[in-house]
């Protein structure tokens, strides 16, 4: 095999964010940009002999070219084999499953998740370790450090691999295997859930609608919902993967999944509706005229886990990211199991799962998952709900209302201000930090500040500390305001304000979240001075 050593210059902006390196496609298309980062990943690893690398992406624009480069670089850097999804496509949870099932030496996942795709939009790349989960900070920090000093990379002169055909190609001691990852993943789901009960629920006349948002879950959804569970083909929408995700923004929330929301809130609405994002790890759950917040969804799945065959023996523990509401904490308390509070981002759940401390985990950002893989998993969450609906014979709305009655309701909303100039976003954070000493015990109407801090997490498994993970303003009544800057954007800054108020009052539980949180929203504006400092009066997205 002919291996070329290419001389290169470092790029200084290759710092992985919340979930890998995300940049505009045009940035990745600069000569050597992708190769520099891939070499930095490989240089951060101690690649053992005969190692296999999993490679796949969400199918977005630039996916195919990037995969050919990664295959050639894997060959040059000592990997013996690459496993790649057919057409270069693997959903993020399916990639995690492949890494775990075939014991590969980690994998490279190409995705910018829910960010729009196309020549003028976003691309992303991240490395997952051999447990199937996103690389921990010590590896992503090492990758960044290497990327700042890189002077050369290695690439093999190989012919382009035909990724459309399932099968194996041998190239002078190096193997590329194109695999059918849909079947492996569907088999895993079938082994975890009560498929016969869901089939009966559908055959009884219940209706579901799933929106793949023109992104990666389309082929998986066809196999699972139509071929294996017998749902009519019309239950699926936007299930053809396109390189620009149909020109849309494949983020399953009330703003961007509007086609599905119209159906769920329309005449003859289905009993259950759900959507998943660009790379298949997020989910949105809707009932007939009813939206389930991701924080409530996690809590409800935990409370009903025993109805799901995979969790019939109970849960080891649960975890949620710090900005996620405390709804699941209440379920954990009732179940007598541990609940962990981690920083934002899936990478913090891996250690807890590997140590057997946690079975279920989730984030307010439409991510829910379990220890079956080491990524959040959109279709898995949809199947959890279908399984609970079928086993309980209740509607989505009645399940959630009964949950609130039992545990109380953590009324919750997140307000995002996207595309804010970085200097102004930093000014908002600095303004709040400057009040750390004076805020405690201040009274804002019904809200008295009890504590203010910048969240810091000490991993209970390996003792590593992650500081500066978001500002928490905790009130005496248990309500919270959390403020942090996004680590996944590619343009300017996104300020996220998370609002949470707890109520056991039944009348309060019926209220619309924005109404119920109106006073807290005003308090957040007062403390952050966000409207004055940024000129923004309204959030870009409310979830
Ligand atoms: C966002 C979400 C976070 C999630 C990440 C990857 O990160 O807030 O919960 O893990 O996307 O899907 P952020 O942009 O807030 O850093
Ligand atoms: Zn995603």
């Amino acid at each position: 095999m002919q291996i070329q050593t290419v001389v290169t210059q470092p790029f200084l902006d290759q710092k992985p964010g919340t979930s890998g390196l995300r940049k505009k496609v045009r940035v990745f298309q600069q000569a050597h940009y992708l190769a520099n980062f891939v070499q930095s990943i490989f240089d951060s690893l101690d690649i053992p002999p005969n190692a296999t690398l999993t490679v796949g992406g969400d199918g977005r624009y630039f996916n195919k070219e990037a995969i050919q480069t990664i295959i050639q670089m894997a060959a040059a850097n000592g990997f013996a084999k690459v496993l790649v999804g057919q057409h270069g496509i693997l959903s993020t949870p399916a990639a995690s499953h492949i890494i775990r099932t075939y014991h590969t030496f980690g994998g490279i996942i190409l995705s910018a998740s829910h960010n729009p795709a196309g020549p003028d939009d976003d691309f992303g790349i991240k490395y997952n370790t051999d447990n199937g989960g996103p690389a921990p900070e010590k590896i992503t920090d090492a990758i960044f450090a290497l990327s700042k000093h890189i002077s050369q990379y290695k690439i093999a002169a190989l012919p382009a691999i035909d990724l459309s055909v399932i099968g194996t190609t041998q190239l002078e001691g190096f193997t590329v295997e194109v695999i059918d990852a849909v079947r492996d993943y569907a088999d895993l789901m079938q082994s975890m859930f009560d498929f016969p009960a869901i089939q009966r629920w559908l055959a009884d006349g219940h209706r579901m609608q799933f929106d793949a948002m023109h992104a990666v879950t389309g082929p998986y959804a066809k196999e699972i919902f139509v071929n294996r569970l017998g749902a009519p083909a019309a239950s699926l929408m936007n299930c053809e993967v396109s390189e620009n995700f149909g020109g849309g923004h494949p983020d399953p929330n009330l703003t961007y999944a509007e086609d599905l929301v119209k159906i769920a809130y329309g005449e003859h609405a289905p009993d259950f509706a759900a959507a998943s994002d660009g790379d298949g790890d997020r989910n949105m759950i809707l009932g007939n005229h009813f939206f389930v917040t991701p924080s409530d969804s996690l809590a409800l799945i935990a409370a009903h886990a025993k109805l799901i065959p995979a969790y019939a023996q109970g849960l080891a523990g649960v975890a949620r990211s710090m900005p996620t509401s405390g709804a699941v904490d209440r379920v954990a308390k009732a179940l007598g199991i541990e609940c962990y509070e981690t920083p934002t981002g899936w990478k913090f759940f891996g250690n807890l799962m590997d140590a057997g401390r946690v079975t279920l985990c989730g984030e307010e950002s439409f991510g829910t998952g379990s220890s079956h893989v080491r990524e959040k998993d959109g279709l898995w969450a949809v199947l959890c709900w279908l399984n609970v609906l079928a086993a309980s014979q209740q509607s989505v709305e009645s399940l959630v209302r009964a949950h609130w009655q039992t545990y109380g309701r953590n009324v919750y909303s997140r307000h995002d201000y996207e595309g804010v100039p970085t200097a102004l976003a930093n000014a908002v954070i600095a303004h709040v930090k400057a009040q750390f000493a004076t805020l405690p015990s201040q009274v804002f109407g019904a809200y008295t500040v009890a504590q203010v801090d910048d969240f810091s997490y000490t991993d209970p498994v390996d003792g590593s500390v992650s500081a500066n993970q978001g500002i928490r303003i905790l009130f005496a009544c248990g309500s919270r305001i959390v403020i942090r800057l996004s680590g996944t954007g590619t343009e300017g800054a996104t300020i996220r304000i998370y609002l949470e108020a707890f109520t056991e009052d039944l009348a309060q539980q019926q209220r619309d979240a924005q109404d119920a949180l109106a006073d807290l929203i005003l308090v957040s504006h007062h403390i952050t001075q966000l409207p004055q400092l940024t000129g923004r009066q309204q959030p870009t997205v409310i979830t």
Side-chain angles (χ1 to χ4, degrees):
M1 184 184 313
Q2 198 201 325
I3 295 175
Q4 232 190 312
T5 300
V6 180
V7 173
T8 187
Q9 302 275 335
F11 293 89
L12 298 178
D13 64 347
Q14 298 195 321
K15 184 174 171 51
T18 312
S19 186
L21 182 68
R22 292 201 188 156
K23 299 281 174 197
K24 293 284 171 210
V25 166
R26 302 229 185 267
V27 173
F28 274 103
Q29 284 171 326
Q30 298 171 84
H32 313 307
Y33 193 90
L34 173 73
N36 273 17
F37 191 72
V38 173
Q39 188 66 51
S40 302
I41 293 176
F42 292 156
D43 288 346
S44 76
L45 306 172
D46 204 359
I47 302 167
N50 289 318
T52 299
L53 182 73
T54 300
V55 182
D58 60 14
R60 67 177 60 225
Y61 183 84
F62 197 57
N63 195 44
K64 286 187 184 140
E65 293 93 309
I67 287 182
Q68 298 292 349
T69 302
I70 293 167
I71 291 173
Q72 291 160 5
M73 291 186 65
N77 280 277
F79 280 95
K81 183 173 176 180
V82 167
L83 279 186
V84 54
Q86 192 180 14
H87 306 295
I89 295 181
L90 287 177
S91 78
T92 294
S96 182
H97 178 54
I98 295 296
I99 294 169
R100 293 166 66 77
T101 308
Y102 297 103
H103 305 290
T104 71
F105 189 67
I108 291 183
I109 301 180
L110 303 166
S111 168
S113 187
H114 49 284
N115 294 7
D120 297 320
D121 283 305
D122 293 1
F123 192 74
I125 172 168
K126 67 173 179 175
Y127 178 70
N128 280 27
T129 52
D130 58 3
N131 73 346
E137 268 180 348
K138 66 172 191 296
I139 297 185
T140 54
D141 287 349
I143 296 171
F144 180 46
L146 287 161
S147 75
K148 288 190 284 192
H149 301 287
I150 189 169
S151 58
Q152 57 182 51
Y153 62 84
K154 285 191 276 183
I155 187 159
L158 299 178
I161 307 292
D162 183 353
L163 301 175
S164 65
V165 185
I166 291 177
T168 299
T169 309
Q170 302 282 357
L171 300 151
E172 303 169 62
F174 175 72
T175 307
V176 179
E177 187 178 351
V178 177
I179 55 170
D180 177 354
V182 171
R183 192 200 53 212
D184 277 317
Y185 178 82
D187 288 349
L188 173 67
M189 293 298 115
Q190 192 156 2
S191 73
M192 297 179 69
F193 295 99
D194 189 349
F195 271 36
I198 303 172
Q199 280 162 353
R200 284 196 297 277
W201 185 80
L202 287 165
D204 285 348
H206 292 102
R207 283 185 302 124
M208 66 171 285
Q209 187 74 30
F210 176 78
D211 186 351
M213 304 190 82
H214 307 278
V216 77
T217 51
Y220 298 86
K222 280 182 205 160
E223 175 62 15
I224 294 170
F225 300 125
V226 177
N227 298 348
R228 301 201 185 191
L229 289 170
S235 310
L236 307 185
M237 59 201 274
N238 304 325
C239 278
E240 300 305 324
V241 187
S242 78
E243 282 201 329
N244 70 347
F245 300 144
H249 193 144
D251 201 1
N253 59 41
L254 295 174
T255 305
Y256 293 123
E258 62 170 334
D259 293 351
L260 182 75
V261 172
K262 272 190 202 135
I263 293 173
Y265 284 82
E267 268 182 64
H268 311 297
D271 302 282
F272 175 73
S276 193
D277 73 329
D279 62 330
D281 56 0
R282 294 186 175 200
N283 72 90
M284 174 171 69
I285 303 295
L286 299 163
N288 186 331
H289 291 76
F290 195 83
F291 166 66
V292 186
T293 69
S295 298
D296 280 344
S297 174
L298 171 64
L300 197 133
I301 294 170
H304 294 273
K306 285 217 161 150
L307 298 177
I308 298 170
Y311 311 112
Q313 306 309 317
L315 306 172
V318 292
R320 63 164 171 85
S321 65
M322 179 274 282
T324 303
S325 98
V328 73
D329 304 38
R330 295 171 190 280
V331 176
K333 199 168 170 217
L335 293 174
I337 57 175
E338 207 60 52
C339 177
Y340 297 87
E341 184 178 32
T342 58
T344 297
W346 212 258
K347 55 180 176 269
F348 297 99
F349 295 132
N351 271 356
L352 297 171
M353 292 189 165
D354 288 349
R357 295 191 186 209
V358 153
T359 312
L360 291 186
C361 56
E363 295 194 274
E364 51 64 43
S365 51
F366 298 82
T368 331
S370 93
S371 50
H372 67 289
V373 289
R374 292 293 181 276
E375 289 279 3
K376 53 191 179 253
D377 190 343
L379 290 171
W380 166 90
V382 173
L383 285 164
C384 283
W385 272 88
L386 285 171
N387 197 141
V388 171
L389 290 171
S392 68
Q393 293 291 320
Q394 307 237 353
S395 72
V396 172
E397 179 169 354
S398 59
L399 280 167
V400 175
R401 292 207 185 276
H403 187 92
W404 291 343
Q405 227 172 55
T406 310
Y407 298 95
R409 177 180 177 192
N410 292 68
V411 184
Y412 189 83
S413 183
R414 180 175 111 184
H415 289 195
D416 291 341
Y417 296 81
E418 296 176 337
V420 176
T422 306
L424 300 186
N426 289 338
V428 171
I429 299 294
H431 182 70
V432 182
K433 285 194 172 166
Q435 301 167 75
F436 270 18
T438 50
L439 273 174
S441 76
Q442 279 195 41
V443 180
F444 299 90
Y447 298 99
T448 304
V449 179
Q451 186 190 329
V452 190
D453 62 13
D454 200 340
F455 182 63
S456 174
Y457 176 67
T458 303
D459 186 304
V461 180
D462 65 16
S464 58
V465 176
S466 303
N468 306 319
Q469 297 294 323
I471 296 171
R472 302 191 295 180
I473 303 171
L474 309 175
F475 296 93
C477 56
S479 297
R480 297 194 301 168
I481 297 171
V482 172
I483 305 149
R484 58 180 285 282
L485 299 183
S486 158
T488 55
T490 56
E491 244 173 3
T494 294
I495 305 172
R496 305 203 194 284
I497 305 223
Y498 309 77
L499 304 137
E500 175 178 1
F502 177 71
T503 179
E504 277 176 320
D505 180 327
L506 285 187
Q508 289 292 332
Q509 287 182 10
Q510 311 307 316
R511 288 178 71 186
D512 170 74
Q514 302 309 315
D515 283 352
L517 294 169
D519 288 349
L520 200 59
I521 293 167
L522 289 179
V523 173
S524 77
H525 287 177
H526 185 86
I527 293 177
T528 61
Q529 293 286 298
L530 187 148
Q532 292 81 349
L533 289 170
T534 65
R536 297 293 186 87
Q537 303 308 322
Q538 294 294 331
T540 331
V541 178
I542 294 181
T543 51

